[in-house]
Amino acid sequence: MKKNKKTEQIKKYIVDNSNQILTTNDGVAIHDNNNTLKLGVRGPSLQQDHIYFDKLGHFDRERIPERVVHARGSGAYGILEIHEDISEFTRAKFLQKGAITPLFTRFSTVAGFKGSTDLARDVRGFSVKFYTEEGNYDLVGNNIPVFFIQDAMNFPDLVHAVKPEPDTEMPQAASAHDTFWDFISLMPESSHMIMWLMSDRAIPRSFRMMEGFGVHTFKLINSKGEITFVKFHWKPKLGVHSVAWNEAQKISGFNSDFHRQDLWENIEKENFPQWDLGVQLIPEKDEMNYPFDLLDPTKLIPEELVPVKLIGTMTLNRNPDNFFAETEQVAFDPGRIIPGIDLSDDPLLQGRVFSYMDTQNYRLGGANFHEIPINRSINQKNNNQKDGTNRMDILKGDVSYFPNSKASGCPYHAILKGEEGFQSHQQEVQGMKVRGRSDSFADHFSQATLFFNSQSESEKQHIIDAFSFELSKVSDSKIRERQVAILYQIDKTLAQKVGDNLGIVPPKELDELTLSFARQNHPNYPLQPKKQEINSSVALSMKVKEGEGTITTRKVAFLVDNGVSKKSVDQLKKALEKEGAVGVLISSKVGELIYDEGDKENIYHSYLTDSSVLYDAVFTPSGKSLSSLISNPDYYEFINEAYRHCKILAFAKGTEDLLKKSFVEKDKGVVLEDGTQNWVDEFINSMKLHRIWDREKARKVPS
Ligand code: HDE
């Protein structure tokens, strides 16, 4: 097996304390790590205690500023393997067929602080740092293919609006508050993104079950210097799945590290998460052939117009050793590009190039953050940059300038070695120097409507519920009304239904204040949008097609008690294991469980520690345990809640009386043991659908 250069590089920095004497930071062996130096055992303490100052002085400086946005994140190492030939489009070596490139990926939420919950309704960051032979390349994307705003100038305002309000520092990791919706209701360009944010995409089941998008249009450059526009996609092998909003809120209480733990545990168990890397390729000559502007980050390119070509696979296969050193200190920057890739003129992307570099300089304490092990290139770095805080590399010799003769002109241009090095795309540009926005960015609603039209009935209902929830938490009625007026432009039924929940009759026109802000960018707003080529796009829905899902790595709760039948437990457990899923025993208390057959097993989960929201499906096995479950309110809460969240439930023989006492009604996702193997297959097949969202019909079971 080929050595992973990044792993080898990182290993050199790992400190292993096993079998070592405790020392100060200067390597002085410590005699007593319990007591400060005092004048007599009852003090006072002495100022000459360099051992104490060494320890506390470091401790006092342990925190660095958290990221302004995307503060909460989780990361892992992996590799990208390319299996398709796209050499006619790019000369980037790591994108050539057969290339294997080490990488580090960090997933994050945007709004919450570093210690906030994983299950906030929020966009998820999806950043990948590729350690290529040609230097580091960062693809810093999200799990949503579009963005709120079109120009970088508005970014601090967007972030200030969504973050906790400055006077009270509330609410944490939530968009459901006045300042966010005040801003959004004045920015119709956010309409498309807001539809995604109010959809279930914003509450993923797992990082491993999210799509990723580069969002902006980038350029690929081939060996002739020709360009092709490109949009990057990550397609998860496990499918795209989300939880229900009521469930998300409860997960935040039961386990605010739900996504972090899920990623960590699955990598430890060698259930390595995988995504296919896809590209949408647009020839340069077609740049202006779409009803939207390719440079507008609030637009996607429907897959029906430009298919996603899958070219490689990313596998995350190693957890970091130290959260701070690796996941916290990793520094992403969309400006880190390599030969064969270039930035487009998307004004949001252009603005990002400054901000990331600037924020890393501040956050990581100076210009040498690229020398931190996680950020180091595996390709050698040679230049004349020197000094600065925390410089690690030791530049040899008296020359640190270019050109020079004293060091024989070294380091020299790539071309002298017959290599091209990084070259920007040679683009002809002419124009006035202006602060302004192109009218080709002025269609704010067509793709928001396209997104809504592409959703299944239950997905539409969830969007209606999410808008209703968020706007109900807004105290200013003018803001609520302005937003409903925007929804009316997207879809009349959507506006009507949200309006009903808020007691608002949807205004047919945009609010004057909204219009006045839109006219700051487009004086003749609203402009007649160009006709869209399609009305709906399959790829925008998360609905699982019959026969296509997988239950690999899914967790099924087995509700047991003393006297449960081992035979019943084992039958389903084994069938699940064959599919790569797991059964987890949950009882009224942790500790020893005694089966009906007399066997014993240690239980690690109880109703005190766990809840149905932490599982994908629930099984009640048969046995004498049923006589205690029938009078256990925790049992009923568990199955009723799982049913409410449209999960799959299975009941073994003998559970008929328990079922009657619950809210559970027979449907496709409620499977009863029938004496044959059929019920097991039925259970697994239903689980493959992820959820039986149809159960919610007519809001009978609101999830
Ligand atoms: Fe970011 N963004 N962003 N952003 N962003 C940051 O950089 C910024 C944008 C994204 O895992 C910051 O290192 C500006 C779009 C991710 O470490 C900061 C603009 C997209 C991450 C910053 C945007 C993103 C960040 C904060 C508008 C999706 C986390 C800490 C011009 C394509 C990276 C940091 C990680 C982080 C600025 C818009 C994704 C402040 C100015 C669009 C995934 O530099």
Side-chain angles (χ1 to χ4, degrees):
M1 173 116 180
K2 216 179 130 195
K3 276 199 174 160
N4 182 320
K5 279 200 190 166
K6 190 63 197 175
T7 312
E8 295 300 307
Q9 187 189 47
I10 286 278
K11 264 195 212 158
K12 292 185 199 145
Y13 295 92
I14 292 178
V15 176
D16 183 358
N17 278 338
S18 45
N19 294 323
Q20 300 300 323
I21 288 178
L22 189 65
T23 71
T24 64
N25 281 318
D26 295 312
V28 178
I30 292 176
H31 176 74
D32 179 348
N33 190 37
N34 295 319
N35 297 296
T36 46
L37 191 66
K38 303 177 194 78
L39 190 66
V41 283
R42 297 186 60 243
S45 299
L46 298 178
Q47 212 184 354
Q48 58 195 251
D49 191 352
H50 64 102
I51 306 271
Y52 170 76
F53 290 156
D54 176 79
K55 187 172 178 181
L56 268 287
H58 194 278
F59 171 75
D60 293 342
R61 290 162 182 79
E62 277 178 8
R63 294 288 171 272
I64 59 169
E66 67 172 35
R67 290 165 171 84
V68 196
V69 279
H70 297 266
R72 180 164 180 83
S74 307
Y77 291 94
I79 51 166
L80 173 75
E81 298 173 271
I82 298 293
H83 48 63
E84 290 299 314
D85 180 3
I86 58 162
S87 56
E88 65 176 295
F89 305 108
T90 179
R91 67 187 184 91
K93 286 195 183 141
F94 87 109
L95 291 178
Q96 302 308 316
K97 192 172 174 178
I100 300 178
T101 304
L103 54 85
F104 188 82
T105 295
R106 183 174 179 272
F107 303 108
S108 48
T109 52
V110 176
F113 293 178
K114 193 168 172 278
S116 57
T117 173
D118 281 344
L119 262 291
R121 174 177 292 285
D122 203 346
V123 192
R124 297 299 182 289
F126 195 125
S127 315
V128 186
K129 186 180 280 296
F130 300 97
Y131 303 100
T132 89
E133 302 281 342
E134 297 179 290
N136 289 351
Y137 169 55
D138 292 355
L139 183 57
V140 195
N142 279 342
N143 75 329
I144 290 179
V146 290
F147 203 64
F148 297 93
I149 51 169
Q150 297 172 323
D151 193 291
M153 195 66 124
N154 292 121
F155 189 68
D157 301 290
L158 164 72
V159 174
H160 290 174
V162 70
K163 284 267 180 181
E165 297 181 8
D167 49 353
T168 59
E169 196 153 287
M170 291 193 284
Q172 180 57 245
S175 50
H177 58 113
D178 280 43
T179 58
F180 180 67
W181 288 99
D182 186 22
F183 178 82
I184 293 297
S185 66
L186 296 172
M187 295 284 278
E189 70 195 58
S190 66
S191 300
H192 187 192
M193 176 72 171
I194 280 298
M195 294 298 287
W196 284 80
L197 191 69
M198 293 301 113
S199 81
D200 292 347
R201 297 268 180 164
I203 39 173
R205 157 67 179 81
S206 158
F207 291 139
R208 303 174 296 123
M209 299 169 199
M210 303 187 313
E211 279 184 291
F213 304 90
V215 178
H216 313 276
T217 301
F218 293 87
K219 292 174 185 173
L220 294 180
I221 311 180
N222 68 14
S223 51
K224 292 185 213 144
E226 298 158 344
I227 64 147
T228 304
F229 290 107
V230 63
K231 291 261 191 198
F232 290 107
H233 295 247
W234 293 109
K235 302 258 183 197
K237 295 265 198 205
L238 295 175
V240 192
H241 302 290
S242 288
V243 298
W245 176 233
N246 177 276
E247 188 185 1
Q249 294 175 84
K250 290 173 177 164
I251 295 175
S252 292
F254 270 95
N255 183 2
S256 58
D257 302 313
F258 187 71
H259 286 154
R260 178 175 288 181
Q261 192 177 342
D262 166 276
L263 181 69
W264 178 276
E265 283 182 357
N266 278 288
I267 293 178
E268 287 301 296
K269 286 186 201 151
E270 303 196 352
N271 294 328
F272 299 140
Q274 290 191 309
W275 287 258
D276 284 325
L277 173 62
V279 286
Q280 283 178 300
L281 300 167
I282 305 101
E284 187 180 12
K285 65 173 173 47
D286 291 348
E287 181 180 359
M288 305 311 252
N289 288 355
Y290 294 92
F292 48 87
D293 197 322
L294 288 186
L295 302 184
D296 173 358
T298 65
K299 305 296 184 298
L300 52 81
I301 307 179
E303 294 189 21
E304 285 76 5
L305 299 188
V306 181
V308 176
K309 181 181 169 66
L310 302 181
I311 60 165
T313 304
M314 168 167 78
T315 307
L316 297 184
N317 54 16
R318 191 163 74 81
N319 279 316
D321 285 293
N322 184 283
F323 184 88
F324 180 85
E326 293 157 288
T327 310
E328 191 61 14
Q329 293 202 109
V330 65
F332 291 97
D333 175 2
R336 313 256 147 175
I337 44 177
I338 53 169
I341 297 183
D342 208 351
L343 308 175
S344 72
D345 293 340
D346 172 343
L348 198 69
L349 176 60
Q350 300 268 318
R352 290 178 75 196
V353 173
F354 161 72
S355 176
Y356 288 69
M357 173 73 128
D358 190 43
T359 211
Q360 308 311 351
N361 269 318
Y362 169 67
R363 194 171 71 81
L364 299 169
N368 290 314
F369 62 85
H370 54 267
E371 293 187 350
I372 298 171
I374 188 69
N375 297 321
R376 274 187 180 266
S377 158
I378 55 165
N379 198 16
Q380 200 172 314
K381 106 175 140 62
N382 292 97
N383 57 42
N384 296 307
Q385 296 170 26
K386 64 188 192 81
D387 305 349
T389 309
N390 297 326
R391 182 71 179 189
M392 309 283 160
D393 292 355
I394 302 166
L395 189 62
K396 204 173 156 179
D398 58 350
V399 173
S400 54
Y401 52 90
F402 177 92
N404 67 67
S405 67
K406 281 190 62 147
S408 310
C410 294
Y412 50 88
H413 279 150
I415 198 76
L416 294 178
K417 208 182 160 193
E419 289 177 18
E420 207 171 333
F422 179 82
Q423 282 228 61
S424 296
H425 169 227
Q426 298 196 3
Q427 181 188 353
E428 198 181 310
V429 189
Q430 269 188 339
M432 301 280 288
K433 195 191 281 181
V434 288
R435 265 186 208 283
R437 198 150 319 172
S438 168
D439 277 346
S440 57
F441 281 39
D443 174 7
H444 298 144
F445 303 118
S446 300
Q447 287 209 350
T449 309
L450 170 72
F451 180 75
F452 195 62
N453 287 346
S454 308
Q455 305 299 299
S456 66
E457 280 314 305
S458 58
E459 285 173 313
K460 283 186 176 169
Q461 185 60 52
H462 295 172
I463 293 172
I464 293 163
D465 293 345
F467 273 114
S468 306
F469 172 89
E470 297 264 320
L471 293 173
S472 296
K473 291 232 178 183
V474 168
S475 64
D476 185 332
S477 59
K478 282 306 290 171
I479 297 175
R480 278 189 235 141
E481 203 167 307
R482 271 205 312 263
Q483 188 58 36
V484 174
I486 287 186
L487 297 187
Y488 190 84
Q489 301 297 316
I490 299 170
D491 185 277
K492 294 188 178 51
T493 316
L494 167 67
Q496 195 64 56
K497 292 199 169 164
V498 174
D500 284 351
N501 288 337
L502 300 168
I504 295 172
V505 178
K508 294 196 169 39
E509 303 296 335
L510 287 178
D511 186 82
E512 272 309 313
L513 208 53
T514 310
L515 279 171
S516 72
F517 277 99
R519 285 182 186 138
Q520 289 179 2
N521 295 328
H522 308 284
N524 300 319
Y525 193 84
L527 304 170
Q528 186 60 35
K530 288 193 185 156
K531 199 172 156 24
Q532 298 294 304
E533 277 138 342
I534 54 168
N535 291 325
S536 82
S537 172
V538 183
L540 305 185
S541 165
M542 294 196 291
K543 192 178 163 98
V544 185
K545 288 189 206 80
E546 198 84 40
E548 282 195 356
T550 167
I551 67 163
T552 306
T553 76
R554 294 307 186 107
K555 284 165 100 172
V556 181
F558 283 44
L559 305 183
V560 299
D561 233 331
N562 282 334
V564 66
S565 155
K566 187 160 184 347
K567 195 167 153 240
S568 177
V569 167
D570 283 352
Q571 184 190 13
L572 192 62
K573 237 187 180 180
K574 284 196 182 119
L576 289 173
E577 278 163 16
K578 259 198 200 154
E579 299 279 331
V582 283
V584 179
L585 303 191
I586 298 172
S587 186
S588 43
K589 56 180 188 312
V590 296
E592 196 173 72
L593 173 85
I594 306 173
Y595 283 104
D596 195 18
E597 291 86 339
D599 303 50
K600 291 175 182 167
E601 186 169 336
N602 253 322
I603 300 274
Y604 300 95
H605 303 266
S606 77
Y607 296 116
L608 280 180
T609 62
D610 285 38
S611 143
S612 81
V613 296
L614 306 179
Y615 294 88
D616 295 293
V618 184
F619 173 47
T620 309
S622 60
K624 296 198 184 82
S625 50
L626 299 181
S627 59
S628 63
L629 289 186
I630 199 159
S631 54
N632 186 345
D634 289 333
Y635 169 75
Y636 288 106
E637 190 179 327
F638 209 101
I639 58 169
N640 284 334
E641 194 172 52
Y643 180 71
R644 174 177 179 185
H645 297 144
C646 300
K647 294 180 180 175
I648 318 300
L649 295 104
F651 294 88
K653 281 241 160 91
T655 50
E656 297 75 14
D657 288 345
L658 279 81
L659 254 171
K660 272 186 219 146
K661 283 183 73 181
S662 74
F663 296 136
V664 177
E665 279 176 31
K666 176 80 186 93
D667 66 18
K668 199 180 163 75
V670 176
V671 179
L672 310 178
E673 180 180 1
D674 61 1
T676 70
Q677 175 69 16
N678 292 352
W679 74 275
V680 175
D681 297 340
E682 202 190 318
F683 179 69
I684 288 172
N685 286 335
S686 291
M687 266 189 77
K688 285 184 179 167
L689 295 173
H690 178 59
R691 298 290 168 91
I692 303 300
W693 294 120
D694 281 354
R695 195 179 284 159
E696 298 176 289
K697 269 222 173 96
R699 316 305 293 141
K700 222 176 99 201
V701 184
S703 70

